[in-house]
Every structure is written in structure tokens, then in C-alpha cells.
Amino acid sequence: ECNEGAEGALAITLGFDAMGLPTVDWGAELGLGVYFVDPDAQPPAGPGQPVTGGNTYWAVQLENFPTGFAGPVTYGVVPDAAIDTTEAVGGGMGPAELVAGQCYKVIVLTTAFTQGSVTFAMP
């Protein structure tokens, strides 16, 4: 069972592109990191730290602080001013394939240190 929904102080919009890939947007704030993880996973506690409590399917972080990256971000597409950090935060060679019917959580952290997440079942 997937407990779908949004949490956190940062409002996140989740949609799907024409290829069926999740796309996440969080408004005007600049991104610090975007993490597609298991529903119980937590984002890194700081730079160089791993995702804890679950698998990491894909992760991007800003390339140079404080220059963040803008949304929206589509799964597997590294935005300008960001780098793929999936392996560095404890995942494999990202992005991993997302499986239909499986539950995932996307977490967004911004350069203003606000955070939000959306848990969803992959269509």
C-alpha cells in the first residue's frame, strides 16, 4: 500500500511527462537537491552524507553552493547548475528504472533550506 501525498513546508507539484517520467516543480526557490527514494528514506543530513532509511533511485544536487538549480526537474534529466549524485548518496549508477505500481518518494531541498516531499505510486 502506498500512502500518497505531500509533506513539508515546501509546496511541490508532481506530474508526468509524455514519456511517463515523473516531473517535479517547487516554484521560484532554487534547488539544493532532488532525491527519488523509497517512501521511508530521508535525504542526506549534509554535504557528502548518504540518503538513509531506504534506497536511492536517482539524486541530483547543486554543482556549486549557493548557485542552485531551477525546477521543474524530470526524472533522469540533470538540470543546469546540478550534477547527478545518485552513487555518492548511496544509490547505484542512477537513474534506476522506476517500476509501475511501486511506491516512491521525491524530496526537494532548496538553497533557502526549505524541504518538501511527495509520495506517489508509479503509474
Side-chain angles (χ1 to χ4, degrees):
E1 186 173 320
C2 188
N3 190 12
E4 296 183 73
E7 294 181 326
L10 183 66
I12 298 174
T13 303
L14 177 73
F16 294 88
D17 72 2
M19 302 280 294
L21 296 173
T23 298
V24 62
D25 198 2
W26 56 91
E29 291 188 45
L30 293 177
L32 178 68
V34 174
Y35 308 90
F36 282 82
V37 296
D38 283 334
D40 292 332
Q42 298 299 313
Q49 299 296 309
V51 168
T52 58
N55 294 318
T56 302
Y57 300 97
W58 187 59
V60 293
Q61 294 176 340
L62 56 78
E63 191 167 16
N64 294 303
F65 189 84
T67 307
F69 54 90
V73 171
T74 299
Y75 187 81
V77 180
V78 179
D80 291 342
I83 55 173
D84 185 321
T85 58
T86 308
E87 204 170 5
V89 299
M93 294 290 292
E97 183 177 347
L98 299 180
V99 178
Q102 186 168 330
C103 195
Y104 299 95
K105 178 169 68 172
V106 58
I107 303 167
V108 177
L109 303 171
T110 71
T111 57
F113 301 104
T114 55
Q115 177 178 330
S117 67
V118 175
T119 302
F120 65 99
M122 188 67 186

